[in-house]
Amino acid sequence: MIFKKNGKSHIVYTIGAPVLRENAAPVAVVDDNIRQLAFDMFEAMRFFNGIGLAAPQYGHSLRLVVIDVPQEDSTGSAGEALLLPRMPLALVNPEIIMSSGENVSRDEGCLSVPGVYAPVARPERVVLRAQILDGEFIEIECGGLLGRCIQHELDHLDGKLFTDRLTSGDARKVRGDLDRLTRIGQTKNFRRNK
Ligand code: ZN
């Protein structure tokens, strides 16, 4: 998927593109290049009405994600209280250091798998450790939609898509769509960002 703004082309890679299956490299230092990349990713996320976007989806195999989770959804976890008022937010080298609570199933979608929605079971809460763009380090428990969004985006950094986590029944239901999207994603001769 591609859009142009202020003379700049933004590409969000879709399933079938090899960059989505790579293990992304850590960000060595938060410099102007990383800040610019994060701002470009904010633009792309906003344009496509996403609540999260990981750098590999934007063609960069780096451990950087941007999130924009709406406040209304808060379940009151410490992470939601701290982070939701600060959206949109870029997370540098984010890690999940602990997960807790029951596995909860909820529909997910992904800008890299356009038009496909299916339930994914994930732990209710995770402890996120990350650096944010101004250099501050955070380590905080996140629940609700924020916790889910973080888990979904961090999967992208390990080359994983939400469709890898479906039950076999749900996977069967979306297989036709995934095959079709994958063919498109493989054959589109997108220029890979450096
Ligand atoms: Zn995604």
Side-chain angles (χ1 to χ4, degrees), residues 20 52-54 57 108-113 122 149 152-156 160-162:
L20 292 175
L53 185 70
Q57 297 179 273
E108 293 189 16
C110 179
L111 296 180
S112 293
V113 194
R122 298 191 189 270
C149 179
H152 175 118
E153 296 312 325
L154 266 61
D155 271 352
H156 279 297
K160 207 168 266 171
L161 298 172
F162 83 96

Side-chain angles (χ1 to χ4, degrees), residues 73-125:
D73 222 80
S74 183
T75 60
S77 67
E80 291 168 284
L82 178 80
L83 300 179
L84 293 184
R86 300 166 75 170
M87 298 287 155
L89 204 59
L91 305 174
V92 180
N93 297 328
E95 293 172 73
I96 289 169
I97 57 173
M98 214 174 74
S99 52
S100 60
E102 285 173 38
N103 266 12
V104 179
S105 215
R106 186 166 164 174
D107 266 7
E108 293 189 16
C110 179
L111 296 180
S112 293
V113 194
V116 174
Y117 299 88
V120 181
R122 298 191 189 270
E124 212 171 356
R125 291 179 297 278

Side-chain angles (χ1 to χ4, degrees), residues 42 45-46 66-69 83-90:
F42 284 148
M45 176 171 61
R46 214 170 287 140
V66 296
I67 54 176
D68 191 8
V69 176
L83 300 179
L84 293 184
R86 300 166 75 170
M87 298 287 155
L89 204 59

Side-chain angles (χ1 to χ4, degrees), residues 167-186:
T167 63
S168 54
D170 289 325
R172 236 187 334 269
K173 281 185 218 157
V174 301
R175 197 168 57 200
D177 288 330
L178 292 187
D179 287 348
R180 181 179 50 80
L181 288 169
T182 302
R183 277 195 299 276
I184 298 169
Q186 282 168 342

